[in-house]
Amino acid sequence: MHTKRFPLLVLTAAMLVGASSTSQAQETHEWTLVSPLTPAISYMALYQELANNISERSDGRLKINFLSYGQHPFSGAEILSAVRDGVVQMGNTADVYVSSMEPSIAFLGLPFLFDNLEQAKAAYAELEDPYYRQIFADKYNAELTTGFVISGSAIHANRPLNSIEAMQGQKIRVFGHESGEMIRLLGGEPSTVAFGELYTSLQRGTIDGALTGMDGARAARVYEVVDNNTWWNWSYPVEFTFVNQDAMEALPEDLQEIVREEASLINERIQTDRDIGTMRILIDSIEQYGITVSGLDVDTLEEFRTRTQPIRDEWLEETGELGQQAFSIYEQGLQ
């Protein structure tokens, strides 16, 4: 009698263990991904696609709710700390937004370091793992998942701002310490204006011009109220997406790999889109609004670079060994 019941007990126990394992395997997780950018930014749909792809590949075991500007309470500067503290599990922001909080992240936002986009991308590729990834992990409990470089930083105004003389007394909207100091050293007056107020501030003449990229210019419809683009390309901002390390480690390994793989795929697509998208928006603006585009000649560019040297010196002093590490990698890449 006992010999007949023993296998049945073993089978029943095994079924219960199997059911428990299946239940654990099907455990679901829900994250929130926040961005400071408006849905009008052309590549924002790719972040929604990232969230959708992760949910689909995980069979719904990891759902990511994507919230853009106006759908959450965080500024661009606050998103990094929100992820660090686990208030949200995933965040997207740019170096220019967090430069006051973490100056070392703003390296590619320093003025006039690079001659072109390819130089900036090469520098970022060398800095990504030993520098940026380490800073996010060590200081902000965050794992870097995407990082891409943006070109096309320009001044949008009612006249060309392509000389020191033209800059004198001009009130220019800026978006961080480095950009504000740059405008001041070049003879202008830096002004802080919220992105949502950019259109009316230019329209009313509260400011004379605005620093922003081409995506931002299009999203804010600035060429309805100003008609000049001065193509400085003074910096090459980096936009990041990062995940709270505790949230990542709480996922099963297969879900962790899905997050990393899908983020890498989306990152490649966004970088490719930005490589051509900035110029495409500029051409569309010329055709649609008839704007005038000008740049900096070689002598003026060198003068701007010289006048803004104190910003780079201050940054190196403030960031110490960490900043010197970035600068050494940058200089090696230029050789």
Side-chain angles (χ1 to χ4, degrees):
M1 191 75 174
H2 288 291
T3 55
K4 292 180 181 178
R5 291 180 61 193
F6 182 70
L8 182 60
L9 291 172
V10 172
L11 179 61
T12 302
M15 290 175 64
L16 289 173
V17 170
S20 176
S21 299
T22 301
S23 175
Q24 289 177 1
Q26 296 304 314
E27 181 183 0
T28 59
H29 303 262
E30 188 165 350
W31 284 6
T32 299
L33 163 60
V34 295
S35 171
L37 302 177
T38 168
I41 298 294
S42 63
Y43 56 86
M44 285 290 281
L46 291 174
Y47 288 124
Q48 183 63 63
E49 187 173 336
L50 170 63
N52 294 343
N53 290 348
I54 290 172
S55 178
E56 183 177 344
R57 276 193 62 188
S58 69
D59 294 325
R61 291 160 57 206
L62 175 56
K63 179 183 178 182
I64 299 180
N65 301 305
F66 175 49
L67 304 179
S68 58
Y69 175 78
Q71 298 177 319
H72 60 80
F74 309 108
S75 67
E78 294 168 337
I79 287 175
L80 182 55
S81 58
V83 171
R84 177 197 62 198
D85 299 338
V87 179
V88 297
Q89 294 78 26
M90 197 169 184
N92 154 252
T93 194
D95 53 6
V96 295
Y97 293 132
V98 298
S99 62
S100 58
M101 174 181 176
E102 182 55 55
S104 57
I105 292 177
F107 179 65
L108 268 73
L110 296 176
F112 304 109
L113 280 180
F114 303 99
D115 294 330
N116 52 58
L117 174 61
E118 292 310 310
Q119 278 187 356
K121 286 171 61 178
Y124 178 75
E126 292 297 320
L127 287 163
E128 184 176 51
D129 284 342
Y131 187 73
Y132 289 108
R133 188 176 299 278
Q134 208 62 44
I135 292 171
F136 284 122
D138 292 347
K139 303 180 73 171
Y140 296 96
N141 190 35
E143 178 178 326
L144 179 63
T145 50
T146 73
F148 61 91
V149 181
I150 306 172
S151 65
S153 297
I155 291 192
H156 317 275
N158 272 320
R159 60 171 174 163
L161 297 175
N162 53 7
S163 68
I164 292 295
E165 292 73 25
M167 283 295 300
Q168 298 308 300
Q170 293 290 293
K171 295 179 181 177
I172 306 297
R173 178 259 187 178
V174 299
F175 44 75
H177 172 71
E178 291 80 15
S179 61
E181 274 298 286
M182 176 184 69
I183 292 301
R184 186 183 65 79
L185 290 169
L186 296 177
E189 298 179 16
S191 177
T192 301
V193 173
F195 185 81
E197 300 171 4
L198 196 53
Y199 184 97
T200 54
S201 295
L202 288 167
Q203 185 182 45
R204 296 170 181 169
T206 307
I207 55 175
D208 299 304
L211 280 177
T212 189
M214 292 306 301
D215 252 304
R218 180 171 67 178
R221 308 187 341 266
V222 299
Y223 291 125
E224 293 180 8
V225 289
V226 298
D227 55 11
N228 274 268
N229 173 304
T230 310
W231 190 262
W232 280 15
N233 250 345
W234 63 276
S235 73
Y236 292 85
V238 184
E239 189 171 311
F240 302 102
T241 305
F242 32 81
V243 174
N244 176 278
Q245 289 186 127
D246 298 327
M248 183 69 94
E249 291 170 4
L251 297 178
E253 289 187 5
D254 66 319
L255 292 188
Q256 293 184 33
E257 287 309 304
I258 288 173
V259 172
R260 294 181 181 115
E261 289 170 5
E262 290 299 325
S264 178
L265 290 171
I266 285 292
N267 191 68
E268 290 179 13
R269 289 176 58 191
I270 297 178
Q271 183 68 76
T272 299
D273 179 81
R274 293 299 80 219
D275 288 352
I276 61 174
T278 295
M279 189 60 68
R280 184 173 60 234
I281 295 171
L282 180 65
I283 292 170
D284 288 347
S285 299
I286 294 171
E287 294 177 347
Q288 182 177 357
Y289 296 106
I291 67 169
T292 299
V293 180
S294 57
L296 305 177
D297 61 39
V298 175
D299 291 339
T300 302
L301 175 59
E302 192 55 41
E303 183 179 10
F304 278 26
R305 182 172 285 147
T306 299
R307 283 178 177 254
T308 56
Q309 180 64 45
I311 300 172
R312 299 185 286 281
D313 294 340
E314 178 188 349
W315 183 86
L316 279 169
E317 183 176 352
E318 185 175 9
T319 56
E321 291 184 8
L322 198 56
Q324 189 57 59
Q325 176 191 350
F327 217 85
S328 297
I329 294 173
Y330 155 74
E331 290 180 320
Q332 290 169 12
L334 295 181
Q335 293 175 0

